[in-house]
Amino acid sequence: MFSTRRLRVAAGLAVSALVAVVAVSTGTSATSQSAKLVIWADADRVPAVTQVANAWARAKGVTVQVVQKQSGPIRQEVSTVAVENAPDVIVGAHDWVGELSGNGSIIPLSPSAATRKQFPAYALNAFSYGTAIKKLYGAPVALENIALVTNTRLAKPPKSFADLEKQALASKKKMKTQVGLAVQQGQGDAYHMYPFFSGLGGYIFGTNKAGNLDPSDIGVANAKFLKNAPLIDKWNKEGLIRSQVNDSIAKDLFLKGRVAYWITGPWFLADIRKSGVRYQVSAFPQIVSGIKSVPFLGVQGYMVTKYSTAHGVESLAKDLVANYMMQPAAQLTLALANDRSPANLRALAQVKDKDLKAFGAASAGGVPMPNIPQMASVWQDLGAAWVRSTKGAGSIPARKSFIGAQKSIAQKIG
């Protein structure tokens, strides 16, 4: 579920640093100038991937062609494109993996053990898939998650959820707004509501004994969540959150200094900085004792397609993705170019931007969006459950709303 935003290439990351990584790369047998790799990337990532891929290509003596595509069509077309027009590598989100590995569009990767150790387990798991044995199908590059952003002229970063609630409602009264906390919903947004959902004890899918996601174990209306659901009714009654707030309304409320808190991601950092609002990024506070409130995690990365085999460049494509792009220098360039935190821990340690560090800290314990195909049956109903119970007048009790959502999801999954 990656958002594409304005490109901001990180300063100080020279191409020479990237070329140096090639010195430790695993060699490949194809080094002819006639060899060419085709990469599909969205507009905001084309400059950075071109820089990184060309540095690798020069050292290997091959050619890289980066083709600009919209993110959605990359996912859709990679399964149906003609071989002669197909990419060898694609840029995409981790939650594509279940679908694309299932239909054979992407192939497994085997980075070295030393390389794997440079990544947190959840980043690798996000790009791993398998009903029995999990295989890695992508190189994680950038982490993306939402966090709490505080307007420090109106409030202080909260010490607890009760503190957040108190300050948010005080600011709401002072500024005469209709909502205390800006979090987008509109027609339904299960992604942005996830810190509330997890903080009340909700989960999407459980796991089986093998550690794989189990679509038969749906936790949208589990007993723990339902016990805490009356808090949603309380938030609705006091106007802490409102489903009528969409992405543009939430952004406008915060950037114009009308709400103290905004739940959003790093894709709006440039807008926040330009607005002149004094702010601080922090983790979402715990709502209920003993339950950590965490965000969904999105992991962006690179995948090698089945077409690389047909084009005779599979080993080259795997070297670029599973080796070169997983090294710290390449990770820094690829992630920071879009205001994201690199997945590689050594690269993350080199990040100087305090806001990206704060978003990274807020990701601790986060849950990667499920990458199994059954997740497609969850988004609409889970988002709608929040809308029904937080729309102010005419809302239905949260308990009833989420029980209904679970039943609908279970029926769709079958």
Side-chain angles (χ1 to χ4, degrees):
M1 187 172 175
F2 275 92
S3 304
T4 54
R5 308 291 177 189
R6 188 185 298 101
L7 182 69
R8 182 180 65 85
V9 178
L13 296 171
V15 176
S16 58
L18 300 173
V19 176
V21 180
V22 179
V24 297
S25 296
T26 301
T28 57
S29 58
T31 57
S32 170
Q33 286 286 353
S34 63
K36 182 177 79 170
L37 262 67
V38 176
I39 302 174
W40 281 4
D42 61 82
D44 283 354
R45 294 176 177 87
V46 164
V49 70
T50 299
Q51 178 184 354
V52 170
N54 281 338
W56 168 86
R58 282 192 294 271
K60 293 292 179 180
V62 299
T63 302
V64 170
Q65 179 187 3
V66 181
V67 179
Q68 181 175 313
K69 305 277 287 186
Q70 291 185 347
S71 185
I74 291 177
R75 180 178 187 174
Q76 298 158 11
E77 295 174 18
V78 73
S79 303
T80 58
V81 64
V83 174
E84 61 270 22
N85 301 320
D88 303 300
V89 175
I90 58 172
V91 182
H94 79 272
D95 55 348
W96 299 5
V97 166
E99 173 190 342
L100 298 185
S101 64
N103 63 29
S105 296
I106 56 176
I107 58 180
L109 304 175
S110 300
S112 68
T115 296
R116 283 176 174 267
K117 288 180 180 179
Q118 297 178 40
F119 292 81
Y122 61 78
L124 295 174
N125 286 337
F127 270 100
S128 300
Y129 186 76
T131 54
I133 300 175
K134 282 188 176 181
K135 295 181 180 180
L136 184 68
Y137 283 92
V141 166
L143 303 180
E144 180 175 79
N145 58 274
I146 56 177
L148 182 69
V149 187
T150 301
N151 180 328
T152 56
R153 285 195 175 97
L154 298 178
K156 297 178 180 179
K159 297 179 180 179
S160 65
F161 190 84
D163 185 28
L164 180 152
E165 194 172 5
K166 179 180 178 181
Q167 292 192 74
L169 294 176
S171 176
K172 174 180 179 289
K173 182 177 181 180
K174 178 181 178 181
M175 304 306 295
K176 298 180 180 179
T177 56
Q178 297 300 308
V179 66
L181 175 61
V183 54
Q184 68 182 62
Q185 288 194 69
Q187 299 300 311
D189 195 322
Y191 175 80
H192 280 83
M193 297 305 294
Y194 196 82
F196 296 96
F197 181 66
S198 65
L200 294 174
Y203 65 90
I204 307 297
F205 299 121
T207 56
N208 58 26
K209 292 181 179 179
N212 297 320
L213 291 171
D214 181 1
S216 69
D217 179 3
I218 304 170
V220 169
N222 72 79
K224 184 180 293 184
F225 177 83
L226 293 180
K227 179 182 178 181
N228 296 319
L231 286 174
I232 300 174
D233 302 325
K234 177 176 180 285
W235 302 335
N236 179 63
K237 183 178 180 180
E238 64 193 13
L240 181 67
I241 54 178
R242 279 286 182 268
S243 62
Q244 293 88 343
V245 175
N246 60 21
D247 56 347
S248 60
I249 293 174
K251 178 181 177 180
D252 189 66
L253 284 170
F254 188 83
L255 297 187
K256 291 185 177 178
R258 301 187 62 212
V259 292
Y261 300 105
W262 185 20
I263 295 177
T264 193
W267 46 87
F268 280 132
L269 274 176
D271 298 284
I272 296 172
R273 289 163 176 162
K274 287 181 181 178
S275 72
V277 171
R278 289 175 54 185
Y279 69 95
Q280 185 173 329
V281 180
S282 61
F284 199 81
Q286 186 179 77
I287 299 172
V288 177
S289 178
I291 303 176
K292 190 172 182 180
S293 182
V294 297
F296 256 149
L297 297 180
V299 188
Q300 178 204 3
Y302 290 75
M303 293 162 270
V304 176
T305 75
K306 64 180 181 181
Y307 305 105
S308 65
T309 306
H311 297 161
V313 294
E314 179 184 330
S315 60
L316 282 168
K318 287 182 174 180
D319 182 61
L320 170 63
V321 173
N323 182 26
Y324 188 67
M325 285 184 168
M326 293 183 75
Q327 298 304 318
Q331 290 264 314
L332 276 169
T333 297
L334 293 168
L336 297 187
N338 290 96
D339 274 332
R340 302 295 190 269
S341 299
N344 183 294
L345 294 174
R346 294 182 183 177
L348 182 61
Q350 298 177 47
V351 174
K352 304 300 182 184
D353 188 299
K354 65 179 180 64
D355 295 327
L356 289 184
K357 281 183 173 293
F359 273 107
S363 74
V367 177
M369 290 182 289
N371 62 11
I372 60 176
Q374 291 86 349
M375 186 60 191
S377 299
V378 174
W379 292 111
Q380 182 178 358
D381 286 302
L382 183 54
W386 281 106
V387 170
R388 290 192 297 266
S389 55
T390 61
K391 63 182 180 180
S395 294
I396 69 172
R399 179 184 177 87
K400 179 179 179 181
S401 183
F402 283 85
I403 288 175
Q406 168 131 344
K407 288 180 179 179
S408 179
I409 291 167
Q411 288 175 352
K412 289 178 180 177
I413 291 176

